[in-house]
Amino acid sequence: LQHHRANARVVALEFLVAQADPPFPANILVLSTDAGHRVRRALVLALTEKPHPAHFPVLLRMTGDTWSDADPSHNEADTYPIAREAVAALAVYAPLSDEIGDHLIELATTTPDRALSQKCVQVAACYGSLAIRMKIRAMIGDRERGWLRLDALDALVFAEMIEPEVLKPFTAERIMK
């Protein structure tokens, strides 16, 4: 895990997590801040495959990972695959607290990666509380949010549970306008 080559660290990580039962030891979890994106990506995969409450803070920290696989020479927008995978992995720890839901909403509103933003509101809508779903509903009415308005609506539509309070503003008259 201390090798100077990232690919060697990935191989060591994959070997060790295949043999280990959760929770993983600190020397594995600390790889969430490794300089190599392949190492961090392998760690997110390992944490997803072997969930444990001790892994939750590491996954939460990794939702802010800003390594992008976009090609700057082609002027591509930033995409954050490690953060996306970490957000998706949080679903295992449902129900999510309001603090975590707020974190996901904040990330959704600040990231330039639309797919990450979509994943954040989806996870928050599906696994957050009524209060979080109400905040997501409020995003729909905020004209300054752009595409995030549509993504928030989409997240609520596909949430496994939706309370009547969340649907209250969606009257037949409003829908028919």
Side-chain angles (χ1 to χ4, degrees):
L1 295 177
Q2 303 301 321
H3 199 276
H4 67 281
R5 299 243 183 232
N7 287 342
R9 293 192 305 275
V10 169
V11 170
L13 174 63
E14 290 171 344
F15 174 79
L16 291 172
V17 299
Q19 309 300 318
D21 290 325
F24 296 145
N27 66 328
I28 290 178
L29 297 178
V30 76
L31 294 174
S32 67
T33 58
D34 192 274
H37 70 272
R38 288 183 217 84
V39 176
R40 295 192 312 275
R41 203 163 192 181
L43 179 62
V44 167
L45 180 63
L47 296 175
T48 302
E49 291 175 351
K50 294 186 176 183
H52 188 276
H55 300 164
F56 184 80
V58 177
L59 280 171
L60 189 60
R61 185 175 340 114
M62 294 182 84
T63 63
D65 193 292
T66 56
W67 174 77
S68 177
D69 60 359
D71 187 352
S73 64
H74 291 273
N75 230 8
E76 293 177 350
D78 282 334
T79 58
Y80 304 132
I82 296 170
R84 286 184 205 163
E85 292 167 10
V87 168
L90 293 178
V92 173
Y93 300 93
L96 299 176
S97 71
D98 286 353
E99 181 182 346
I100 302 305
D102 286 335
H103 170 77
L104 292 173
I105 290 172
E106 176 67 23
L107 183 56
T109 59
T110 58
T111 183
D113 180 358
R114 181 161 181 225
L116 173 57
S117 178
Q118 289 170 324
K119 183 56 70 179
C120 286
V121 291
Q122 288 167 359
V123 170
C126 286
Y127 305 106
S129 68
L130 168 62
I132 294 302
R133 281 188 283 284
M134 294 295 279
K135 288 179 181 182
I136 293 170
R137 186 195 75 191
M139 294 165 67
I140 297 168
D142 187 350
R143 296 196 183 278
E144 304 214 353
R145 298 274 185 197
W147 283 107
L148 190 55
R149 294 174 65 203
L150 179 62
D151 298 337
L153 179 60
D154 188 57
L156 289 175
V157 166
F158 291 103
E160 293 178 17
M161 183 179 71
I162 192 97
E163 295 84 354
E165 300 92 313
V166 176
L167 298 174
K168 195 173 274 187
F170 299 106
T171 62
E173 296 82 31
R174 181 174 179 196
I175 292 171
M176 297 305 285
K177 277 187 185 180

